[in-house]
């Protein structure tokens, strides 16, 4: 089966639009960014914008998934199995992503929060599910999915708690929680 290659001009145009959106997000609140602003900044026409994206919400979601989450996914891809090192790495990637996003898109960060949460949690769930599936062939699919959901929400929740309520470095924060994550209730009982 031959793979269809995407025209580099299409990829460049899409990247231009995404970069324009990021640049505008640094200057304006999301609600104030218009399609006209984006097309002017990217030097493309409206039809070109709508060829690539449904609206600015679709653009925002794709920017978060394709552009900003790349570093998180690259870091996580270095790990094959779920262990303490992987959990630390994932947590640090998520906190770095959150810091980067709140710095890059400070004016629009609040508007992105719900979308960011959904994207990160869904991505983490998929990553955890794949890792758990590789490591445990005897566990039911349903149990693996539930575990992946709990881990993804837990990591994201911890990253948000660290961002909102903590002054210690993220490395110290995750190391405090790690025994409970890896050993669960057994650690509390002993």
């Amino acid at each position: 089966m031959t793979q269809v290659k995407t025209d580099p001009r299409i990829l460049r145009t899409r990247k231009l639009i995404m970069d324009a959106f990021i640049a505008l997000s640094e200057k304006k609140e999301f609600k104030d960014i218009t399609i006209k602003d984006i097309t002017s900044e990217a030097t493309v026409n409206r039809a070109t914008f709508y060829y690539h994206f449904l609206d600015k919400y679709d653009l925002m979601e794709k920017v978060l998934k394709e552009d900003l989450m790349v570093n998180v996914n690259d870091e996580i891809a270095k790990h094959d199995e779920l262990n303490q090192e992987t959990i630390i790495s994932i947590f640090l990637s998520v906190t770095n992503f959150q810091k980067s996003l709140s710095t890059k898109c400070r004016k629009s960060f609040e508007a992105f929060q719900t979308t960011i949460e959904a994207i990160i949690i869904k991505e983490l769930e998929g990553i955890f599910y794949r890792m758990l599936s590789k490591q445990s062939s005897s566990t039911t699919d349903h149990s693996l999915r539930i575990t992946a959901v709990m881990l993804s929400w837990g990591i994201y929740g911890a990253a948000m708690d660290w961002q909102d309520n903590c002054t210690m470095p993220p490395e110290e924060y995750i190391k405090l929680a790690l025994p409970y994550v890896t050993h669960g209730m057994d650690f509390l009982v002993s």
Side-chain angles (χ1 to χ4, degrees):
M1 185 168 133
T2 58
Q3 192 172 10
V4 179
K5 196 170 185 179
T6 306
D7 186 333
R9 293 172 294 180
I10 291 173
L11 297 175
R12 270 194 304 276
T13 303
R14 184 179 172 87
K15 179 86 169 107
L16 258 176
I17 295 169
M18 292 171 104
D19 288 346
F21 177 74
I22 291 171
L24 287 166
S25 296
E26 292 172 7
K27 303 173 203 164
K28 291 178 144 187
E29 289 188 36
F30 178 74
K31 67 181 178 58
D32 297 329
I33 298 172
T34 65
I35 300 301
K36 184 175 182 354
D37 293 336
I38 297 165
T39 57
S40 294
E41 181 85 15
T43 63
V44 299
N45 63 39
R46 286 179 81 81
T48 301
F49 174 88
Y50 287 113
Y51 173 80
H52 293 277
F53 305 99
L54 299 173
D55 54 24
K56 73 178 187 177
Y57 297 94
D58 182 44
L59 171 59
M60 176 183 60
E61 186 174 325
K62 295 212 168 69
V63 164
L64 290 171
K65 276 186 181 175
E66 296 172 21
D67 195 43
L68 299 174
M69 279 291 289
V70 166
N71 294 335
V72 174
N73 287 330
D74 287 349
E75 181 60 36
I76 293 168
K78 295 175 187 173
H79 303 278
D80 289 337
E81 68 179 53
L82 191 56
N83 55 32
Q84 288 188 2
E85 181 185 333
T86 304
I87 290 171
I88 291 170
S89 180
I90 290 171
F91 179 79
L92 295 177
S93 294
V94 171
T95 56
N96 287 334
F97 173 72
Q98 291 285 71
K99 262 194 299 191
S100 167
L101 191 60
S102 65
T103 303
K104 276 186 178 179
C105 306
R106 186 178 10 257
K107 292 210 180 262
S108 297
F109 187 70
E110 291 296 318
F112 297 157
Q113 199 62 40
T114 305
T115 304
I116 294 165
E117 179 179 292
I119 290 169
I120 292 175
I121 289 170
K122 202 67 176 159
E123 292 286 322
L124 290 178
E125 184 182 325
I127 290 162
F128 286 132
Y129 180 78
R130 285 187 296 279
M131 286 181 173
L132 289 165
S133 294
K134 283 182 194 173
Q135 284 178 248
S136 179
S137 58
S138 63
T139 309
T140 68
D141 191 58
H142 190 64
S143 293
L144 294 177
R145 192 191 66 71
I146 291 169
T147 304
V149 167
M150 290 182 72
L151 285 169
S152 64
W153 278 91
I155 292 287
Y156 183 76
M160 289 306 300
D161 180 61
W162 173 81
Q163 181 179 339
D164 295 342
N165 303 313
C166 202
T167 56
M168 72 176 72
E171 297 83 1
E172 286 180 37
Y173 180 98
I174 190 61
K175 285 182 181 171
L176 289 174
L178 205 53
Y180 301 102
V181 173
T182 55
H183 301 290
M185 295 303 292
D186 293 341
F187 189 78
L188 288 173
V189 175
S190 43

